Amino acid sequence: MTHSPRILSLATALPPHRLGQEEALGVARAVFGPRMRDFERLVPVFANTGIETRHAVMPIDWYMEPRGWPERTAAFRDGALSLLEEAAGRALAHAGLRPQDVDAIVCASTTGIATPSLEALLLERMGFRPDTVRLPLFGLGCAGGVLGLTRAGQIAQAMAGRTVLFLVVELCTLAFRSAEATPTNVVASALFADGAAAAVLRADGDGEGPHLVDGAEHTWPGTQDVMGWRVEDDGLGVIFSQSIPALIRNRLEPVLDGFLERGRLARGDLAGLIVHPGGAKVLHALEEVCAPVSAGLDDAWAVLRGCGNMSAASVLFVLERRIASGARGSHLMSALGPGFTAALAQIDL
C-alpha cells in the first residue's frame, strides 16, 4: 500500500538584519535617485507593495557599494548555510530527530551558486550521514517552495518509511545591484527579501500531520521571458514582467480547476489557500481566480507584510502560519515561477 507523505515538522528562519520599508526607500533614493530622472514617480511602489518590514542577510551599508561575483557568492554561501542550519536544526528537533536520522535531503535555491551544493556543505557541518541521498534544485525561482516540497514528497513515497528533509533558502537581496538604475531594479528593491525554511517528511502511514496528497505543474508556452535572471558582470539581474497579474487572471483558472478535478475537488470544496505572496497585485489576482475560497489569504498577506517576497521560501512561511492557526481540511498550495510555471499541490491539514 502506498501512503501519502506527511509533514512531521516545519521551521522557518530569517537573517538578522531587519529593514523597514521607509529605510529601503531611503537607500533606493540615495542609490538611484541622482541617476534616474523619473525616480520620484516610482516611489509609490514602496508603499503599494503591502510590505512593512523585510530581513536581509547583509547589513544595509553592504548593498550600497558595488559588489562583484566573488563577494556576492561568498555572501550567498555563508548566509544560506547559516539560515539552513538554523531552520533544519529546529525542524529536526520539533520532529524528535537528529541529523543522522535523515535519509535524503532536497534543497531548493535560485538566488546564488554553490558547488558543492548547499546540502552537501551541510553534511559535515550538521552531522548528516555520508550516505544521505541528495537532490539540489536550481532555477525554479518562486515556484521552488511548492515544487521542491512536492519533489521531497515523491522521494519520501519512493523511500517509504525513510525520513526526507526539504530545505529552501533564497537570498533575494543579493541581486540588488547599485549600478543598474532601471525601473525594474527599483521595483525589485521594494519587494525582495531573504529567508529559509525546512520541512521533515515521511511516508509511513503512521501519525497525524499535514499530508501531501498530490502535486502538479504547468508551464505556459511562449512565456519564458516573463520571469527569471539575467547573468550580468556584477551579479544576477532580475527579470519580471508587469503582465504577471494579467497572466494569473487570464490563464491560471483552467489549470487550477483541472488540477482540482484530478482529485475530484472543486474550488468550493477547499478549506483554504496556501499561496506564495509575490506582491500585492499578485495576491489580488489570486484572490479573484481562487474565489469563492479565501481562507488563508490573510496568512499570505501577513507574510508579505512582515517578511517581503522571499521567493521560494515565502510559501513555507505561509504554510507554517496556516498550520499554527489550527486550520484543517484540503488546501491548495500554489506559487508561480520562471518558465512561466504554475506550481500546485493539495495539502490536507
Side-chain angles (χ1 to χ4, degrees):
M1 179 179 180
T2 301
H3 299 288
S4 62
R6 62 188 177 94
I7 299 173
L8 278 65
S9 63
L10 173 65
T12 58
L14 292 168
H17 305 288
R18 186 173 178 272
L19 180 66
Q21 194 71 324
E22 284 298 320
E23 186 180 1
L25 171 56
V27 172
R29 181 178 277 121
V31 172
F32 300 125
R35 292 176 290 142
M36 293 183 67
R37 188 186 314 174
D38 58 348
F39 176 82
E40 293 302 322
R41 181 179 62 82
L42 296 170
V43 164
V45 74
F46 284 83
N48 294 340
T49 59
I51 297 169
E52 294 178 2
T53 60
R54 287 175 281 163
H55 292 77
V57 73
M58 301 298 285
I60 192 64
D61 292 345
W62 188 91
Y63 299 92
M64 299 182 72
E65 299 294 330
R67 306 288 177 182
W69 276 102
E71 289 175 287
R72 293 181 191 275
T73 300
F76 172 78
R77 183 189 63 242
D78 295 344
L81 289 174
S82 293
L83 287 175
L84 288 177
E85 184 174 17
E86 178 184 348
R90 286 198 282 112
L92 289 170
H94 292 164
L97 299 171
R98 305 167 301 159
Q100 298 95 317
D101 299 319
V102 172
D103 298 291
I105 303 174
V106 177
C107 183
S109 186
T110 305
T111 45
I113 299 169
T115 306
S117 52
L118 294 172
E119 80 291 340
L121 295 172
L122 283 175
L123 287 184
E124 290 188 48
R125 180 167 172 156
M126 291 191 67
F128 294 105
R129 299 197 319 265
D131 65 344
T132 304
V133 174
R134 300 186 294 110
L135 178 63
L137 301 176
F138 179 84
L140 298 176
C142 297
V146 177
L147 293 179
L149 187 65
T150 300
R151 299 291 184 274
Q154 291 167 339
I155 291 175
Q157 278 189 308
M159 301 173 64
R162 305 285 187 91
T163 300
V164 179
L165 176 64
F166 172 56
L167 304 175
V168 57
V169 60
E170 299 291 12
L171 307 185
C172 305
T173 64
L174 296 180
F176 180 84
R177 296 161 50 247
S178 59
E180 184 183 332
T182 64
T184 297
N185 209 24
V186 171
V187 173
S189 69
L191 277 173
F192 291 130
D194 303 338
V200 180
L201 298 94
R202 191 182 294 153
D204 56 8
D206 297 326
E208 297 185 358
H211 280 254
L212 280 171
V213 178
D214 197 7
E217 59 193 275
H218 181 91
T219 301
W220 287 279
T223 60
Q224 293 182 357
D225 58 349
V226 169
M227 185 185 295
W229 291 125
R230 296 187 322 272
V231 179
E232 304 289 356
D233 290 340
D234 58 345
L236 296 171
V238 65
I239 300 171
F240 56 83
S241 171
Q242 294 181 350
S243 66
I244 291 173
L247 285 170
I248 293 171
R249 289 186 172 92
N250 297 332
R251 301 197 190 186
L252 181 59
E253 186 173 355
V255 174
L256 187 158
D257 287 343
F259 169 66
L260 292 176
E261 286 170 10
R262 194 166 80 184
R264 299 184 178 181
L265 293 173
R267 275 175 279 167
D269 298 323
L270 293 170
L273 303 170
I274 302 163
V275 300
H276 166 59
K281 291 182 179 180
V282 168
L283 284 177
H284 284 310
L286 287 170
E287 183 177 12
E288 294 178 25
V289 171
C290 294
V293 60
S294 62
L297 283 173
D298 55 342
D299 293 307
W301 280 107
V303 171
L304 181 66
R305 186 167 55 250
C307 301
N309 183 343
M310 301 169 286
S311 189
S314 298
V315 75
L316 276 300
F317 281 70
V318 179
L319 175 59
E320 181 182 50
R321 286 183 59 93
R322 198 74 187 134
I323 293 171
S325 74
R328 293 290 182 268
S330 293
H331 283 64
L332 174 71
M333 191 174 187
S334 69
L336 297 157
F340 182 59
T341 298
L344 305 170
Q346 180 190 339
I347 298 186
D348 287 358
L349 301 184

